[in-house]
Amino acid sequence: MSKIDTSNPSTVLGAASPHVLPPLPYAENALEPIVTAKTMNFHYGKHHKGYVDNLNKFIAETEYADLSLEKIIASTTGRPEGAAIFNNAAQTWNHTFYWKSMSPKGGGEPPAALKQKIVASFGSVDACKKELASAAVSQFGSGWCWLVLESGKLKVVKTANAEVPLTKGTKPLLTIDVWEHAYYLDYQNRRADYVSAVLDKLINWEFALQNAS
Ligand SMILES: [Fe+2]
């Protein structure tokens, strides 16, 4: 079994079945011009919704039907026969977490309590951002880059496809989606430009602080 702490509200984003597409925490055009309404419309309205719909379809009348999202992820991770359910459950969780990782008022300096942790772990906020950007740009193919808390220290990790650090016993603080569907309409192949714009203008340090507390 995984080490997901399902008693911690910061890691519990989904109630039991049927799973619902949570509302966006802001308007579809609120992150423009960094992430356009067109991208949000497809990414949230088609991709995220698709993961939720597929999850509900795949778990209907199975042992997973009444489990929370986090328990489904914990029960199917690393099990080839549960791959379709894992992928859709994890992508449902990841996207809900990703929307909260950005804010129209994001970017800039982290709040003091988080900045202190960042400086202790990376040396400076710039060094932390550079490490996040490097992980995001170097993830080969589809995936995610994450700021996580592990044994009291902040770390940057990247995951492939639907993988989520929850299953590795680390606590996600924020994430950036680096699947092409996250940026291709706005940036085409320029993933690095998308990542640096998100880090400079949208990254939600307040959300990271809440998760770290
Ligand atoms: Fe995505």
Side-chain angles (χ1 to χ4, degrees):
M1 287 294 280
S2 86
K3 299 168 187 163
I4 298 176
D5 176 6
T6 50
S7 66
N8 182 337
S10 73
T11 59
V12 177
L13 299 179
S17 175
H19 299 275
V20 294
L21 180 66
L24 278 174
Y26 32 71
E28 253 181 20
N29 64 356
L31 305 184
E32 288 195 332
I34 313 297
V35 179
T36 62
K38 190 175 178 188
T39 288
M40 289 298 286
N41 188 268
F42 277 94
H43 198 177
Y44 170 72
K46 305 276 189 241
H47 292 279
H48 193 181
K49 181 176 187 301
Y51 296 127
V52 177
D53 290 347
N54 280 333
L55 174 65
N56 284 324
K57 193 167 71 184
F58 293 154
I59 62 174
E61 294 173 25
T62 73
E63 63 193 286
Y64 305 108
D66 295 321
L67 298 184
S68 70
L69 195 51
E70 292 74 19
K71 285 190 176 151
I72 294 172
I73 293 169
S75 309
T76 53
T77 185
R79 292 176 55 188
E81 71 279 13
I85 291 176
F86 172 81
N87 286 337
N88 285 283
Q91 284 294 79
T92 295
W93 194 97
N94 292 348
H95 282 86
T96 301
F97 197 80
Y98 168 60
W99 306 131
K100 294 180 178 180
S101 297
M102 297 184 290
S103 161
K105 294 178 182 160
E109 280 288 295
L114 180 66
K115 188 172 174 181
Q116 200 177 17
K117 291 178 200 288
I118 289 175
V119 171
S121 298
F122 297 96
S124 68
V125 174
D126 270 354
C128 172
K129 285 168 69 178
K130 271 193 190 129
E131 207 170 311
L132 281 164
S134 164
V137 171
S138 64
Q139 169 56 35
F140 185 76
S142 297
W144 301 82
C145 98
W146 306 80
L147 182 65
V148 301
L149 187 61
E150 186 180 85
S151 308
K153 215 169 174 231
L154 301 190
K155 266 178 66 178
V156 169
V157 296
K158 53 187 175 179
T159 59
N161 301 315
E163 290 292 335
V164 50
L166 283 177
T167 61
K168 311 278 191 290
T170 60
K171 194 173 180 190
L173 304 186
L174 52 79
T175 192
I176 301 175
D177 187 345
V178 295
W179 283 57
E180 283 189 347
H181 67 216
Y183 60 88
Y184 215 84
L185 288 175
D186 298 333
Y187 297 84
Q188 294 76 51
N189 60 324
R190 293 175 288 115
R191 185 192 287 186
D193 292 353
Y194 151 73
V195 169
S196 81
V198 167
L199 282 170
D200 286 342
K201 307 279 189 202
L202 299 180
I203 206 73
N204 189 349
W205 296 121
E206 290 286 347
F207 179 59
L209 178 60
Q210 287 165 26
N211 292 326
S213 305

